[in-house]
Amino acid sequence: MTPQTHRPRTGSETRSRSDRTSTRRGMLWAAVAGLVSAGVLLAVAEALAVLIGAASTPVIAVGGFIVDVVPRPLKEFAISTFGTADKPVLLASVAVAAAVGAALAGILQLRRPPWGVVLLGAGGAAALAAVLTRAGTEPAAFVPPLVATIAACLVLWMLVARLRRWVTATMPEAGSADAPAPDRDAALDRRTFFVMTAVTALAAGAVAAGARIADGTRASIAAIRRALSLPAPASTVTIPEGADLDIPGLSPVITPNDEFYRVDTALTVPEVDPADWTLVIDGMVDERIELTFDELIDRGLDEYAITLTCVSNEVGGDLVGNALWWGVPVRDLLALAGPQAGADMVLSRSVDGYTASTPLEALTDDGLDAILAVAMNGEPLPLEHGFPVRMVVPGLYGYVSATKWLTQLTVTTFDADEAYWTPRGYAARAPIKFSSRMDTPTPGSPVEAGTVALAGVAWAQTVGIDRVEVSIDDGAWQTATLSTPINVDTWVQWMLEWEAEPGSHYITVRAVTRDGEVQTAERAPIAPDGSTGLQRTLITVTAA
Ligand SMILES: Nc1nc2c(c(=O)[nH]1)N[C@H]1C(S)=C(S)[C@@H](COP(=O)(O)O)O[C@H]1N2
Ligand SMILES: [Mo]
């Protein structure tokens, strides 16, 4: 035993306990100083970004960077766990990580100066790197995060210097070796620290709020979209009698815009003003072409019905939707540029840097309605569905064809270029695998015994559905009633009346195409080029 343990309780021990409280309080306020400094960083970056009209604020840029680098399994986990909330969850995680880092920087600056300032600076540098690696960054994009980081480091350094004076005034050991004598006026130092911290926090809040307001008063793209009136299409799609079976719980044959699935890598919806929009067609072409939005729609719009499908759609999933699109055939636009011999791919590019690889022949084929769409179900494309212009190609999964916020078509080869998802575990070429789904009833809602309408949708874009078959409890395949198809590029609805008896029943559904192909029971995962298998639904039937 050391002598110290037997030392009687003294005033010095009492003080050391209050020192510990004071150390803890010092650390707490250091963490607050760190958070306030990070707030300064965000506020200044946001304000400067608005001033120079840059798109990327640090949190969005870091989030976008993470979206691009996270490995596919993690992304699939995020999408399957959080669904469409995956983006808010990601942004919230970035914010929480940044807050923890900022608090640590504050504490570090108090205990081990200048490492807190170094940590904050490193965080700012990471945000700067993320901003600079975003596609479509303006040349001046480095200014906001750089200036903001310097400002934040200065603030942290100043705040913690004051805090240290207060803490060392009450507890010399906590400070650095050259701490002032403990007889300093602790109350005054405390007040200085609080006033500086509060003023800085308020100023950062005011700057951030001002930036928001300034940003909001700029003509919003949503308002521009609302004010946009498109010329009526020269031809419209005739929806045949019987195209919609109109059964409760069954997906309508035309998916309303606000129910249409959304899949993209964009953390904030790109804002593209049609007045500034241009389409460049370049690469292996005789002549580079540049088109404005007016020039595009002046070519004349036609209406097309095309069912879009995502490669990430599991069998039975809902990442598929059918809409009426107004657009211009891609083949006519490519013809203006004149694709050269040897080219076999068109790399379409979004304003946010996203790219898709589409076989050239899918875009030049006279029998295939590959279009640049400007309207969806009779109104300008919703912002999240690619306003003002997107591509839509029947029969190809969205990731290899349906580029939203389109701005460039580069005629090239599969050998020379690859698209966004290609190095991330997905095939460069990906025709849609035909499939079928039951919409009603669902496993979650038991049905009463008696006549029950089983109903769903089936799609085989470019080929068409011949029939849909249903098997109950693994019994014989029964042919369902089909809705009248709009065309071969759209899904059809199916319906089968079933005399349901109480108990649990398995319902399996499969489609047969007009080519006579039967939907396979063999399961394939969504990567690398789309799922296969049959949807088998367990339905509970209660006694009537
Ligand atoms: N710019 C851009 N376009 C994109 C994507 C994207 O991430 N960015 N995702 C594609 C994918 S994977 C699909 S399935 C479709 C989905 O279109 P939607 O969101 O309008 O349903 O858009 C395609 N176009
Ligand atoms: Mo997709």
Side-chain angles (χ1 to χ4, degrees):
M1 282 186 200
T2 60
Q4 274 95 333
T5 51
H6 287 285
R7 212 175 56 182
R9 234 181 126 78
T10 66
S12 120
E13 272 204 349
T14 316
R15 210 189 77 197
S16 97
R17 205 188 305 136
S18 86
D19 285 353
R20 271 200 301 277
T21 324
S22 161
T23 309
R24 228 176 288 138
R25 204 185 305 136
M27 304 239 290
L28 180 70
W29 286 111
V32 169
L35 287 171
V36 168
S37 309
V40 167
L41 200 161
L42 293 180
V44 172
E46 175 111 12
L48 290 177
V50 169
L51 274 181
I52 69 164
S56 293
T57 60
V59 172
I60 299 291
V62 170
F65 181 77
I66 293 172
V67 168
D68 289 352
V69 301
V70 288
R72 183 167 51 76
L74 196 62
K75 202 173 293 187
E76 275 161 16
F77 166 80
I79 291 171
S80 65
T81 312
F82 304 118
T84 33
D86 62 332
K87 283 165 187 155
V89 167
L90 171 67
L91 288 179
S93 313
V94 172
V96 168
V100 170
L104 276 177
I107 293 168
L108 210 55
Q109 181 63 12
L110 179 68
R111 308 298 299 267
R112 302 264 183 282
W115 289 105
V117 166
V118 171
L119 178 61
L120 187 65
L128 175 66
V131 167
L132 292 186
T133 54
R134 302 312 297 154
T137 37
E138 312 65 7
F142 75 93
V143 173
L146 184 67
V147 173
T149 303
I150 294 170
C153 286
L154 277 175
V155 164
L156 181 63
W157 179 76
M158 273 168 31
L159 288 182
V160 174
R162 289 301 176 290
L163 174 64
R164 188 175 308 110
R165 277 168 63 171
W166 160 35
V167 173
T168 50
T170 49
M171 183 199 57
E173 307 92 278
S176 52
D178 60 339
D183 57 304
R184 284 189 43 84
D185 186 355
L188 182 66
D189 289 325
R190 194 180 71 194
R191 209 173 312 130
T192 318
F193 170 74
F194 279 149
V195 168
M196 281 179 65
T197 305
V199 167
T200 316
L202 285 175
V207 167
R212 274 290 149 80
I213 291 165
D215 199 28
T217 53
R218 283 201 268 172
S220 88
I221 298 298
I224 290 172
R225 174 183 174 273
R226 273 194 302 275
L228 182 69
S229 84
L230 294 168
S235 68
T236 54
V237 171
T238 309
I239 309 288
E241 192 79 12
D244 204 316
L245 298 175
D246 221 355
I247 292 167
L250 170 62
S251 304
V253 72
I254 304 291
T255 314
N257 289 353
D258 57 2
E259 287 169 31
F260 207 96
Y261 80 95
R262 175 189 168 195
V263 171
D264 55 63
T265 59
L267 279 177
T268 50
V269 176
E271 302 202 335
V272 185
D273 186 340
D276 304 332
W277 182 87
T278 57
L279 174 71
V280 169
I281 306 178
D282 61 2
M284 298 171 66
V285 291
D286 292 337
E287 193 190 344
R288 179 185 187 275
I289 297 286
E290 201 167 329
L291 275 178
T292 65
F293 187 74
D294 285 342
E295 286 167 344
L296 179 74
I297 59 176
D298 282 350
R299 300 187 62 81
L301 302 175
D302 287 287
E303 189 174 57
Y304 302 84
I306 301 166
T307 295
L308 217 62
T309 310
C310 182
V311 70
S312 299
N313 194 46
E314 303 278 4
V315 172
D318 57 7
L319 300 180
V320 50
N322 185 41
L324 297 172
W325 313 91
W326 295 357
V328 173
V330 182
R331 77 178 89 83
D332 294 351
L333 301 167
L334 286 175
L336 293 176
Q340 293 172 341
D344 65 0
M345 187 257 268
V346 171
L347 193 71
S348 52
R349 184 177 297 272
S350 155
V351 296
D352 68 356
Y354 179 87
T355 51
S357 55
T358 311
L360 178 62
E361 79 242 12
L363 301 178
T364 52
D365 187 340
D366 278 336
L368 199 69
D369 291 327
I371 55 166
L372 294 196
V374 296
M376 182 176 183
N377 294 328
E379 49 179 271
L381 290 177
L383 301 189
E384 60 275 21
H385 293 292
F387 182 79
V389 182
R390 76 175 304 170
M391 198 151 88
V392 177
V393 183
L396 302 180
Y397 282 122
Y399 83 102
V400 289
S401 67
T403 302
K404 304 190 272 189
W405 315 290
L406 179 76
T407 186
Q408 190 179 6
L409 297 174
T410 302
V411 179
T412 177
T413 63
F414 279 100
D415 277 349
D417 273 307
E418 59 178 12
Y420 182 89
W421 283 109
T422 312
R424 292 173 170 83
Y426 285 88
R429 302 166 191 257
I432 295 172
K433 297 178 182 175
F434 72 97
S435 197
S436 57
R437 168 182 96 193
M438 183 165 82
D439 288 342
T440 183
T442 56
S445 36
V447 293
E448 265 187 24
T451 308
V452 172
L454 306 174
V457 285
W459 56 93
Q461 290 93 328
T462 75
V463 177
I465 293 290
D466 177 67
R467 60 184 190 276
V468 170
E469 299 176 332
V470 179
S471 159
I472 292 151
D473 296 325
D474 301 319
W477 290 103
Q478 308 175 45
T479 303
T481 303
L482 291 191
S483 64
T484 311
I486 298 175
N487 61 38
V488 294
D489 296 332
T490 59
W491 64 14
V492 291
Q493 299 173 334
W494 61 265
M495 189 275 272
L496 185 76
E497 284 193 341
W498 169 46
E499 293 310 319
E501 283 169 19
S504 291
H505 300 282
Y506 278 105
I507 319 277
T508 312
V509 50
R510 73 178 185 190
V512 181
T513 70
R514 289 187 185 172
D515 284 349
E517 254 192 282
V518 180
Q519 187 178 339
T520 179
E522 207 168 299
R523 284 155 174 268
I526 60 175
D529 60 2
S531 62
T532 63
L534 301 182
Q535 186 193 17
R536 195 164 185 264
T537 313
L538 183 62
I539 298 297
T540 308
V541 180
T542 58

PDB file of all heavy atoms in Angstrom, residues 260-265 308-310 350 352 354 384-385 390 398-399 402-405 421, ligand 1:
ATOM      1  N   PHE A 260     -45.546   6.592 -58.469  1.00  0.00           N
ATOM      2  CA  PHE A 260     -44.538   5.940 -59.301  1.00  0.00           C
ATOM      3  C   PHE A 260     -43.267   5.740 -58.487  1.00  0.00           C
ATOM      4  O   PHE A 260     -42.827   6.650 -57.785  1.00  0.00           O
ATOM      5  CB  PHE A 260     -44.243   6.808 -60.527  1.00  0.00           C
ATOM      6  CG  PHE A 260     -43.774   6.017 -61.717  1.00  0.00           C
ATOM      7  CD1 PHE A 260     -44.657   5.633 -62.702  1.00  0.00           C
ATOM      8  CD2 PHE A 260     -42.440   5.645 -61.840  1.00  0.00           C
ATOM      9  CE1 PHE A 260     -44.229   4.891 -63.805  1.00  0.00           C
ATOM     10  CE2 PHE A 260     -42.000   4.914 -62.923  1.00  0.00           C
ATOM     11  CZ  PHE A 260     -42.893   4.523 -63.915  1.00  0.00           C
ATOM     12  N   TYR A 261     -42.675   4.557 -58.546  1.00  0.00           N
ATOM     13  CA  TYR A 261     -41.453   4.298 -57.771  1.00  0.00           C
ATOM     14  C   TYR A 261     -40.365   5.283 -58.185  1.00  0.00           C
ATOM     15  O   TYR A 261     -40.366   5.793 -59.305  1.00  0.00           O
ATOM     16  CB  TYR A 261     -40.991   2.850 -57.955  1.00  0.00           C
ATOM     17  CG  TYR A 261     -40.217   2.563 -59.237  1.00  0.00           C
ATOM     18  CD1 TYR A 261     -38.821   2.585 -59.252  1.00  0.00           C
ATOM     19  CD2 TYR A 261     -40.881   2.262 -60.426  1.00  0.00           C
ATOM     20  CE1 TYR A 261     -38.112   2.321 -60.409  1.00  0.00           C
ATOM     21  CE2 TYR A 261     -40.171   1.989 -61.591  1.00  0.00           C
ATOM     22  CZ  TYR A 261     -38.790   2.030 -61.582  1.00  0.00           C
ATOM     23  OH  TYR A 261     -38.080   1.775 -62.730  1.00  0.00           O
ATOM     24  N   ARG A 262     -39.446   5.537 -57.263  1.00  0.00           N
ATOM     25  CA  ARG A 262     -38.324   6.417 -57.575  1.00  0.00           C
ATOM     26  C   ARG A 262     -37.031   5.726 -57.167  1.00  0.00           C
ATOM     27  O   ARG A 262     -36.897   5.278 -56.025  1.00  0.00           O
ATOM     28  CB  ARG A 262     -38.443   7.738 -56.819  1.00  0.00           C
ATOM     29  CG  ARG A 262     -37.220   8.615 -57.042  1.00  0.00           C
ATOM     30  CD  ARG A 262     -37.186   9.843 -56.154  1.00  0.00           C
ATOM     31  NE  ARG A 262     -35.853  10.450 -56.248  1.00  0.00           N
ATOM     32  CZ  ARG A 262     -35.383  11.349 -55.411  1.00  0.00           C
ATOM     33  NH1 ARG A 262     -36.124  11.788 -54.425  1.00  0.00           N
ATOM     34  NH2 ARG A 262     -34.166  11.827 -55.559  1.00  0.00           N
ATOM     35  N   VAL A 263     -36.101   5.624 -58.092  1.00  0.00           N
ATOM     36  CA  VAL A 263     -34.778   5.079 -57.775  1.00  0.00           C
ATOM     37  C   VAL A 263     -33.723   5.949 -58.434  1.00  0.00           C
ATOM     38  O   VAL A 263     -33.760   6.169 -59.641  1.00  0.00           O
ATOM     39  CB  VAL A 263     -34.626   3.623 -58.272  1.00  0.00           C
ATOM     40  CG1 VAL A 263     -33.169   3.167 -58.133  1.00  0.00           C
ATOM     41  CG2 VAL A 263     -35.522   2.677 -57.493  1.00  0.00           C
ATOM     42  N   ASP A 264     -32.803   6.472 -57.637  1.00  0.00           N
ATOM     43  CA  ASP A 264     -31.649   7.178 -58.197  1.00  0.00           C
ATOM     44  C   ASP A 264     -30.617   7.398 -57.106  1.00  0.00           C
ATOM     45  O   ASP A 264     -30.883   7.145 -55.926  1.00  0.00           O
ATOM     46  CB  ASP A 264     -32.055   8.515 -58.832  1.00  0.00           C
ATOM     47  CG  ASP A 264     -32.813   9.394 -57.867  1.00  0.00           C
ATOM     48  OD1 ASP A 264     -32.233   9.776 -56.853  1.00  0.00           O
ATOM     49  OD2 ASP A 264     -34.006   9.676 -58.121  1.00  0.00           O
ATOM     50  N   THR A 265     -29.447   7.868 -57.512  1.00  0.00           N
ATOM     51  CA  THR A 265     -28.350   8.073 -56.574  1.00  0.00           C
ATOM     52  C   THR A 265     -28.316   9.510 -56.073  1.00  0.00           C
ATOM     53  O   THR A 265     -27.381   9.888 -55.366  1.00  0.00           O
ATOM     54  CB  THR A 265     -27.011   7.760 -57.248  1.00  0.00           C
ATOM     55  OG1 THR A 265     -26.867   8.623 -58.380  1.00  0.00           O
ATOM     56  CG2 THR A 265     -26.941   6.311 -57.725  1.00  0.00           C
ATOM     57  N   LEU A 308     -41.781   1.049 -67.040  1.00  0.00           N
ATOM     58  CA  LEU A 308     -40.403   1.135 -66.565  1.00  0.00           C
ATOM     59  C   LEU A 308     -40.183   0.084 -65.463  1.00  0.00           C
ATOM     60  O   LEU A 308     -41.083  -0.152 -64.648  1.00  0.00           O
ATOM     61  CB  LEU A 308     -40.220   2.527 -65.971  1.00  0.00           C
ATOM     62  CG  LEU A 308     -38.926   3.277 -66.138  1.00  0.00           C
ATOM     63  CD1 LEU A 308     -38.676   3.534 -67.611  1.00  0.00           C
ATOM     64  CD2 LEU A 308     -39.010   4.615 -65.405  1.00  0.00           C
ATOM     65  N   THR A 309     -39.000  -0.519 -65.436  1.00  0.00           N
ATOM     66  CA  THR A 309     -38.709  -1.513 -64.397  1.00  0.00           C
ATOM     67  C   THR A 309     -37.290  -1.300 -63.892  1.00  0.00           C
ATOM     68  O   THR A 309     -36.381  -1.026 -64.671  1.00  0.00           O
ATOM     69  CB  THR A 309     -38.831  -2.949 -64.957  1.00  0.00           C
ATOM     70  OG1 THR A 309     -40.069  -3.073 -65.641  1.00  0.00           O
ATOM     71  CG2 THR A 309     -38.767  -3.983 -63.845  1.00  0.00           C
ATOM     72  N   CYS A 310     -37.123  -1.467 -62.574  1.00  0.00           N
ATOM     73  CA  CYS A 310     -35.791  -1.326 -61.978  1.00  0.00           C
ATOM     74  C   CYS A 310     -35.157  -2.706 -61.826  1.00  0.00           C
ATOM     75  O   CYS A 310     -35.831  -3.667 -61.445  1.00  0.00           O
ATOM     76  CB  CYS A 310     -35.887  -0.662 -60.603  1.00  0.00           C
ATOM     77  SG  CYS A 310     -34.284  -0.407 -59.820  1.00  0.00           S
ATOM     78  N   SER A 350     -26.355  12.323 -66.872  1.00  0.00           N
ATOM     79  CA  SER A 350     -27.240  13.228 -66.142  1.00  0.00           C
ATOM     80  C   SER A 350     -26.431  14.441 -65.675  1.00  0.00           C
ATOM     81  O   SER A 350     -25.204  14.366 -65.571  1.00  0.00           O
ATOM     82  CB  SER A 350     -27.799  12.473 -64.939  1.00  0.00           C
ATOM     83  OG  SER A 350     -28.173  13.363 -63.919  1.00  0.00           O
ATOM     84  N   ASP A 352     -26.088  15.342 -62.825  1.00  0.00           N
ATOM     85  CA  ASP A 352     -25.404  15.009 -61.568  1.00  0.00           C
ATOM     86  C   ASP A 352     -24.290  13.988 -61.774  1.00  0.00           C
ATOM     87  O   ASP A 352     -23.738  13.465 -60.799  1.00  0.00           O
ATOM     88  CB  ASP A 352     -26.399  14.551 -60.497  1.00  0.00           C
ATOM     89  CG  ASP A 352     -27.049  13.203 -60.815  1.00  0.00           C
ATOM     90  OD1 ASP A 352     -26.788  12.650 -61.901  1.00  0.00           O
ATOM     91  OD2 ASP A 352     -27.816  12.721 -59.972  1.00  0.00           O
ATOM     92  N   TYR A 354     -24.421  10.992 -63.138  1.00  0.00           N
ATOM     93  CA  TYR A 354     -24.877   9.615 -63.343  1.00  0.00           C
ATOM     94  C   TYR A 354     -24.820   9.279 -64.834  1.00  0.00           C
ATOM     95  O   TYR A 354     -25.126  10.113 -65.673  1.00  0.00           O
ATOM     96  CB  TYR A 354     -26.312   9.461 -62.838  1.00  0.00           C
ATOM     97  CG  TYR A 354     -26.869   8.073 -63.030  1.00  0.00           C
ATOM     98  CD1 TYR A 354     -26.667   7.085 -62.091  1.00  0.00           C
ATOM     99  CD2 TYR A 354     -27.594   7.750 -64.178  1.00  0.00           C
ATOM    100  CE1 TYR A 354     -27.166   5.806 -62.268  1.00  0.00           C
ATOM    101  CE2 TYR A 354     -28.095   6.477 -64.369  1.00  0.00           C
ATOM    102  CZ  TYR A 354     -27.873   5.513 -63.414  1.00  0.00           C
ATOM    103  OH  TYR A 354     -28.369   4.249 -63.594  1.00  0.00           O
ATOM    104  N   GLU A 384     -38.428  14.800 -59.434  1.00  0.00           N
ATOM    105  CA  GLU A 384     -37.704  13.583 -59.027  1.00  0.00           C
ATOM    106  C   GLU A 384     -37.709  12.511 -60.110  1.00  0.00           C
ATOM    107  O   GLU A 384     -37.022  11.511 -59.991  1.00  0.00           O
ATOM    108  CB  GLU A 384     -38.228  13.052 -57.699  1.00  0.00           C
ATOM    109  CG  GLU A 384     -39.677  12.663 -57.661  1.00  0.00           C
ATOM    110  CD  GLU A 384     -40.599  13.850 -57.368  1.00  0.00           C
ATOM    111  OE1 GLU A 384     -40.218  15.023 -57.578  1.00  0.00           O
ATOM    112  OE2 GLU A 384     -41.729  13.597 -56.947  1.00  0.00           O
ATOM    113  N   HIS A 385     -38.489  12.728 -61.161  1.00  0.00           N
ATOM    114  CA  HIS A 385     -38.470  11.767 -62.271  1.00  0.00           C
ATOM    115  C   HIS A 385     -37.718  12.317 -63.477  1.00  0.00           C
ATOM    116  O   HIS A 385     -37.892  11.828 -64.586  1.00  0.00           O
ATOM    117  CB  HIS A 385     -39.889  11.321 -62.620  1.00  0.00           C
ATOM    118  CG  HIS A 385     -40.543  10.516 -61.534  1.00  0.00           C
ATOM    119  ND1 HIS A 385     -40.105   9.239 -61.201  1.00  0.00           N
ATOM    120  CD2 HIS A 385     -41.546  10.804 -60.673  1.00  0.00           C
ATOM    121  CE1 HIS A 385     -40.843   8.786 -60.187  1.00  0.00           C
ATOM    122  NE2 HIS A 385     -41.708   9.715 -59.849  1.00  0.00           N
ATOM    123  N   ARG A 390     -35.672  13.234 -69.707  1.00  0.00           N
ATOM    124  CA  ARG A 390     -35.091  11.955 -69.359  1.00  0.00           C
ATOM    125  C   ARG A 390     -35.215  11.012 -70.549  1.00  0.00           C
ATOM    126  O   ARG A 390     -35.972  11.266 -71.476  1.00  0.00           O
ATOM    127  CB  ARG A 390     -35.795  11.326 -68.164  1.00  0.00           C
ATOM    128  CG  ARG A 390     -37.157  10.724 -68.564  1.00  0.00           C
ATOM    129  CD  ARG A 390     -37.838   9.997 -67.447  1.00  0.00           C
ATOM    130  NE  ARG A 390     -37.004   8.948 -66.891  1.00  0.00           N
ATOM    131  CZ  ARG A 390     -37.297   8.303 -65.778  1.00  0.00           C
ATOM    132  NH1 ARG A 390     -38.395   8.591 -65.118  1.00  0.00           N
ATOM    133  NH2 ARG A 390     -36.501   7.363 -65.324  1.00  0.00           N
ATOM    134  N   GLY A 398     -34.068   0.294 -66.007  1.00  0.00           N
ATOM    135  CA  GLY A 398     -33.855   1.737 -65.877  1.00  0.00           C
ATOM    136  C   GLY A 398     -32.398   2.140 -65.783  1.00  0.00           C
ATOM    137  O   GLY A 398     -31.987   3.147 -66.367  1.00  0.00           O
ATOM    138  N   TYR A 399     -31.578   1.338 -65.095  1.00  0.00           N
ATOM    139  CA  TYR A 399     -30.193   1.772 -64.856  1.00  0.00           C
ATOM    140  C   TYR A 399     -29.351   1.767 -66.122  1.00  0.00           C
ATOM    141  O   TYR A 399     -28.292   2.382 -66.150  1.00  0.00           O
ATOM    142  CB  TYR A 399     -29.539   0.935 -63.745  1.00  0.00           C
ATOM    143  CG  TYR A 399     -28.960  -0.399 -64.188  1.00  0.00           C
ATOM    144  CD1 TYR A 399     -27.582  -0.545 -64.379  1.00  0.00           C
ATOM    145  CD2 TYR A 399     -29.771  -1.505 -64.394  1.00  0.00           C
ATOM    146  CE1 TYR A 399     -27.045  -1.760 -64.776  1.00  0.00           C
ATOM    147  CE2 TYR A 399     -29.229  -2.719 -64.791  1.00  0.00           C
ATOM    148  CZ  TYR A 399     -27.875  -2.838 -64.982  1.00  0.00           C
ATOM    149  OH  TYR A 399     -27.336  -4.040 -65.380  1.00  0.00           O
ATOM    150  N   ALA A 402     -32.724   4.674 -68.537  1.00  0.00           N
ATOM    151  CA  ALA A 402     -33.740   5.680 -68.216  1.00  0.00           C
ATOM    152  C   ALA A 402     -33.162   6.918 -67.535  1.00  0.00           C
ATOM    153  O   ALA A 402     -33.763   7.488 -66.626  1.00  0.00           O
ATOM    154  CB  ALA A 402     -34.823   5.058 -67.342  1.00  0.00           C
ATOM    155  N   THR A 403     -31.983   7.365 -68.004  1.00  0.00           N
ATOM    156  CA  THR A 403     -31.278   8.484 -67.374  1.00  0.00           C
ATOM    157  C   THR A 403     -32.171   9.718 -67.198  1.00  0.00           C
ATOM    158  O   THR A 403     -32.758  10.216 -68.148  1.00  0.00           O
ATOM    159  CB  THR A 403     -30.031   8.834 -68.194  1.00  0.00           C
ATOM    160  OG1 THR A 403     -29.233   7.662 -68.264  1.00  0.00           O
ATOM    161  CG2 THR A 403     -29.244   9.975 -67.554  1.00  0.00           C
ATOM    162  N   LYS A 404     -32.265  10.159 -65.947  1.00  0.00           N
ATOM    163  CA  LYS A 404     -33.060  11.338 -65.596  1.00  0.00           C
ATOM    164  C   LYS A 404     -32.147  12.562 -65.607  1.00  0.00           C
ATOM    165  O   LYS A 404     -30.930  12.436 -65.535  1.00  0.00           O
ATOM    166  CB  LYS A 404     -33.674  11.150 -64.203  1.00  0.00           C
ATOM    167  CG  LYS A 404     -34.505   9.873 -64.100  1.00  0.00           C
ATOM    168  CD  LYS A 404     -35.302   9.791 -62.821  1.00  0.00           C
ATOM    169  CE  LYS A 404     -34.535   9.166 -61.686  1.00  0.00           C
ATOM    170  NZ  LYS A 404     -35.407   8.899 -60.506  1.00  0.00           N
ATOM    171  N   TRP A 405     -32.738  13.756 -65.688  1.00  0.00           N
ATOM    172  CA  TRP A 405     -31.962  15.006 -65.736  1.00  0.00           C
ATOM    173  C   TRP A 405     -30.877  14.901 -66.815  1.00  0.00           C
ATOM    174  O   TRP A 405     -29.732  15.305 -66.628  1.00  0.00           O
ATOM    175  CB  TRP A 405     -31.361  15.329 -64.357  1.00  0.00           C
ATOM    176  CG  TRP A 405     -32.350  15.152 -63.262  1.00  0.00           C
ATOM    177  CD1 TRP A 405     -33.444  15.940 -63.022  1.00  0.00           C
ATOM    178  CD2 TRP A 405     -32.372  14.111 -62.267  1.00  0.00           C
ATOM    179  NE1 TRP A 405     -34.142  15.444 -61.945  1.00  0.00           N
ATOM    180  CE2 TRP A 405     -33.515  14.330 -61.464  1.00  0.00           C
ATOM    181  CE3 TRP A 405     -31.554  13.020 -61.976  1.00  0.00           C
ATOM    182  CZ2 TRP A 405     -33.842  13.501 -60.400  1.00  0.00           C
ATOM    183  CZ3 TRP A 405     -31.886  12.198 -60.929  1.00  0.00           C
ATOM    184  CH2 TRP A 405     -33.018  12.440 -60.146  1.00  0.00           C
ATOM    185  N   TRP A 421     -23.133   2.094 -62.925  1.00  0.00           N
ATOM    186  CA  TRP A 421     -23.304   0.851 -62.169  1.00  0.00           C
ATOM    187  C   TRP A 421     -22.378  -0.272 -62.628  1.00  0.00           C
ATOM    188  O   TRP A 421     -22.278  -1.299 -61.943  1.00  0.00           O
ATOM    189  CB  TRP A 421     -24.767   0.376 -62.230  1.00  0.00           C
ATOM    190  CG  TRP A 421     -25.646   1.170 -61.306  1.00  0.00           C
ATOM    191  CD1 TRP A 421     -26.592   2.084 -61.648  1.00  0.00           C
ATOM    192  CD2 TRP A 421     -25.630   1.137 -59.871  1.00  0.00           C
ATOM    193  NE1 TRP A 421     -27.164   2.625 -60.525  1.00  0.00           N
ATOM    194  CE2 TRP A 421     -26.591   2.063 -59.432  1.00  0.00           C
ATOM    195  CE3 TRP A 421     -24.888   0.416 -58.920  1.00  0.00           C
ATOM    196  CZ2 TRP A 421     -26.841   2.282 -58.078  1.00  0.00           C
ATOM    197  CZ3 TRP A 421     -25.145   0.640 -57.571  1.00  0.00           C
ATOM    198  CH2 TRP A 421     -26.108   1.571 -57.171  1.00  0.00           C
TER     199      TRP A 421
HETATM  200  N1  LIG B   1     -29.688  10.676 -63.201  1.00  0.00           N
HETATM  201  C1  LIG B   1     -30.103   9.452 -62.849  1.00  0.00           C
HETATM  202  N2  LIG B   1     -30.962   8.801 -63.641  1.00  0.00           N
HETATM  203  C2  LIG B   1     -31.388   7.564 -63.308  1.00  0.00           C
HETATM  204  C3  LIG B   1     -30.927   6.925 -62.151  1.00  0.00           C
HETATM  205  C4  LIG B   1     -29.998   7.630 -61.332  1.00  0.00           C
HETATM  206  O1  LIG B   1     -29.528   7.136 -60.300  1.00  0.00           O
HETATM  207  N3  LIG B   1     -29.623   8.895 -61.716  1.00  0.00           N
HETATM  208  N4  LIG B   1     -31.379   5.673 -61.812  1.00  0.00           N
HETATM  209  C5  LIG B   1     -31.928   4.851 -62.881  1.00  0.00           C
HETATM  210  C6  LIG B   1     -32.662   3.705 -62.375  1.00  0.00           C
HETATM  211  S1  LIG B   1     -31.745   2.505 -61.590  1.00  0.00           S
HETATM  212  C7  LIG B   1     -33.993   3.530 -62.583  1.00  0.00           C
HETATM  213  S2  LIG B   1     -34.743   2.077 -62.221  1.00  0.00           S
HETATM  214  C8  LIG B   1     -34.825   4.618 -63.147  1.00  0.00           C
HETATM  215  C9  LIG B   1     -35.964   4.932 -62.221  1.00  0.00           C
HETATM  216  O2  LIG B   1     -36.719   6.004 -62.700  1.00  0.00           O
HETATM  217  P1  LIG B   1     -37.819   6.654 -61.768  1.00  0.00           P
HETATM  218  O3  LIG B   1     -37.148   7.079 -60.506  1.00  0.00           O
HETATM  219  O4  LIG B   1     -38.411   7.778 -62.533  1.00  0.00           O
HETATM  220  O5  LIG B   1     -38.840   5.574 -61.494  1.00  0.00           O
HETATM  221  O6  LIG B   1     -34.074   5.804 -63.324  1.00  0.00           O
HETATM  222  C10 LIG B   1     -32.796   5.620 -63.853  1.00  0.00           C
HETATM  223  N5  LIG B   1     -32.261   6.925 -64.124  1.00  0.00           N
END
